[in-house]
Amino acid sequence: MSTPNKRRKTNNHQSPAQPANSLDFFFGKQRQKHEEAKEEPEHDAPPPKNNDDVHVEEAELTDEQLARKLQAEWDAEERQRGQQRDGQDHLSGRDTVDQEEDVVSNDQARGEQAAVTAEAKQEDKPTNTSNAFAAMGKKNTLSLQSATAEEDTISHDVPFDESPLTFDPQKYLPELRKQWASEGGRCTYALLTHCFVLVGSTTSRIKTVDTLVNMLRTLIEGDPASLLPAVWLATNSISPPYIDIELGLGGSAISKALKKVCGLDNAALKSLYNKHGDAGDVAYEAKKKQSFTLRKPKPLTIQGVYDSLHKIAAAKGQGSQVVKQSFVERLVQDARGAEESRYVVRTLVQHLRIGAVKTTMLIALSRAFLLSKQPGAEFDIKSREHLRKLSKQDLAAVYQGSEELVKACFARRPNYNDLVPTMLEIGIDEELLLRCGLAMHIPLRPMVATSLVSSNTTVSEHRFTAMPMAKFQSFRDIWKS
C-alpha cells in the first residue's frame, strides 16, 4: 500500500477553534483548589469526635492532669447548679412582690419578668476554668489538698532548746491554745514532734534535758491532761514493764500503710529501705514525695496517738490484724508533714531513737515541776529569777535534791501512771515517797549493784549495826578455818 501524500502547507493559516491551555492556566487551578481547602474549616463545623478518640485523649493525660480536668468540670457543674437555684429563688421572690403590688400593671410585670429571666440565663452560662483549687474550702466539694501546706508552724516556732531559767511557756501558750481549740483544747502531736526533732539533732545531754524540761513545762501549764501520754510516748512505751501490753505490729503492717497512703510500689519502697534502713526515715522520704491528697488531714493529738496505740494493743482474736492495719493507716495518713510521719512510724515500731532514756525523763520531770505547776495547784515552785542568781554548784544542789526524790519514788513504783498524776497534785514533796512507795503486786525496778571490796568497807559505808558486823565476822572466821 502506498503511503499517503503529505499535505502541503498553505499560506492561509487559521487559529484552531479550541484555544490551547497555557502553564498559567494549569497552575492557576491548583492555587484555586488550595485556597478553597483553606477556607473550608472556617465555614464548616468540625466533624464530631468518636468515643474512641475521647478515650485515647484521656489515656494520654497523666493522673494529675486528669484529676485537675475532672475537678474543673465538677466546679463548673456546682456553680451552675448554685446559680440556677439563686435564679429560681430570685424569680419566685419577684413574682410574689408583683402579686402583692396592685399598682404595677400586667404589661410592666411581664417586662420585668422577662428582664429577670434574661439576666438569669446570662448568669447561668458556665465559665470555663482550669483551676483545680477554685473550690478549696467549700463544703461537700472534693478538691486536691496540699500535703505539705498544713504543717504546724506555730508549734515549730517554740524555742524548746532554750535554758529552762529563761524559757517562759506563758509567752507561747496563747497562740498554742488558739490552735488547740479546734481539737477540744488538746495539745497537738506536732508540739511533741518538734521536741523530738530538737532532741534528736543534738548530742549534748544538757541540751536534751533542757528541751524535755521546756516541753513538759508547756504541757503542765497549757494542757495537763496530755502530760502523762506525752511522757509515755517520749519514753518509747505505753505501759510499765510489769504489765504485758504489746503492740504486736510487724514490718509488713508499716510497709502496707506506707504503700497505701503515700502511693508507693514495692520497688520504690524497697529502694528507700535499702537506702535508709530505718522505718521512720523511709516514712519521712515517702511523705515528702506525696504532693497532693484528696482529704485534708485531721491534726493528730498526743492523747489521740496514745489512745490509738492502746487500741492497737487491745485488738485480739480473729480479724485483729485488719483492725490494727486500719489504725496504722489512719495514723500515717493524718500525720501532717514528713517529721510527724517519721516519729509516728518510729513510735509504732517502738524505736524512737532520740536518746531520752528513763533516767533522762525522770530528771526532766523533777526540774519541770520545780519551775511550773498546773493552773489551780497549791504547791510552791521555785522562782526562775532566784535560780538565775545562784552559782552552778548551788543550782546543781537544788536540782539534785528533787532528782533523787523522783528517782527513789520511781524505783519503788516504776509506773508513770501513779507518779505523774501525784506530781501534778502535790509537786516535788516528801509526800511523794508515801504516795508512790512500795505496793503489793508491783515489782521493784531493777537496780545496778555496786561491787564490794571487803566487808569492812561495806560496814563503814552503810553503817551496819553490831549484829550484821558479827555476822560478817563469823563468815570470815568460817572461811579462814
Side-chain angles (χ1 to χ4, degrees), residues 21-218:
N21 296 331
S22 62
L23 292 176
D24 294 336
F25 175 79
F26 177 75
F27 288 109
K29 293 184 67 176
Q30 288 188 351
R31 285 194 297 269
Q32 184 179 1
K33 290 181 180 180
H34 186 64
E35 291 176 358
E36 291 178 357
K38 286 184 178 180
E39 293 177 357
E40 283 181 359
E42 298 179 359
H43 301 286
D44 299 337
K49 294 184 179 180
N50 297 330
N51 294 331
D52 297 337
D53 299 337
V54 176
H55 291 308
V56 170
E57 291 182 0
E58 291 183 355
E60 293 177 355
L61 297 176
T62 61
D63 294 342
E64 183 176 353
Q65 292 174 350
L66 183 58
R68 292 178 183 275
K69 180 180 177 182
L70 293 175
Q71 184 62 49
E73 294 177 359
W74 294 338
D75 295 343
E77 293 177 0
E78 186 69 21
R79 281 193 298 272
Q80 187 175 2
R81 294 194 194 98
Q83 291 172 357
Q84 288 177 355
R85 287 193 296 268
D86 295 341
Q88 292 176 0
D89 295 340
H90 186 57
L91 287 175
S92 61
R94 181 60 61 88
D95 293 339
T96 305
V97 172
D98 291 341
Q99 291 176 2
E100 293 178 354
E101 294 180 355
D102 297 331
V103 182
V104 182
S105 62
N106 294 332
D107 296 338
Q108 186 177 359
R110 293 194 194 96
E112 291 180 357
Q113 186 174 1
V116 172
T117 306
E119 291 178 0
K121 289 182 179 180
Q122 186 69 21
E123 292 177 357
D124 288 343
K125 292 182 180 180
T127 57
N128 296 328
T129 178
S130 59
N131 186 9
F133 299 96
M136 289 182 66
K138 296 182 179 180
K139 295 182 179 180
N140 301 326
T141 303
L142 184 64
S143 60
L144 295 175
Q145 304 286 341
S146 176
T148 58
E150 297 297 334
E151 291 188 7
D152 190 352
T153 57
I154 299 177
S155 299
H156 293 175
D157 294 337
V158 181
F160 283 149
D161 52 351
E162 284 187 5
S163 172
L165 301 181
T166 59
F167 179 78
D168 186 12
Q170 295 298 330
K171 182 179 178 181
Y172 309 98
L173 281 177
E175 292 294 331
L176 291 174
R177 286 196 179 101
K178 290 180 182 179
Q179 185 187 28
W180 300 345
S182 60
E183 303 302 324
R186 289 289 177 259
C187 177
T188 58
Y189 187 74
L191 190 74
L192 190 61
T193 301
H194 177 51
C195 176
F196 290 163
V197 171
L198 294 177
V199 171
S201 62
T202 182
T203 57
S204 173
R205 180 178 173 82
I206 297 176
K207 279 289 184 182
T208 299
V209 174
D210 290 347
T211 304
L212 290 174
V213 169
N214 293 332
M215 185 270 295
L216 294 175
R217 289 179 58 201
T218 304

Side-chain angles (χ1 to χ4, degrees), residues 361-376:
M361 179 55 66
L362 293 175
I363 294 173
L365 277 173
S366 64
R367 296 185 183 183
F369 278 98
L370 272 181
L371 301 173
S372 298
K373 62 180 179 180
Q374 67 172 336

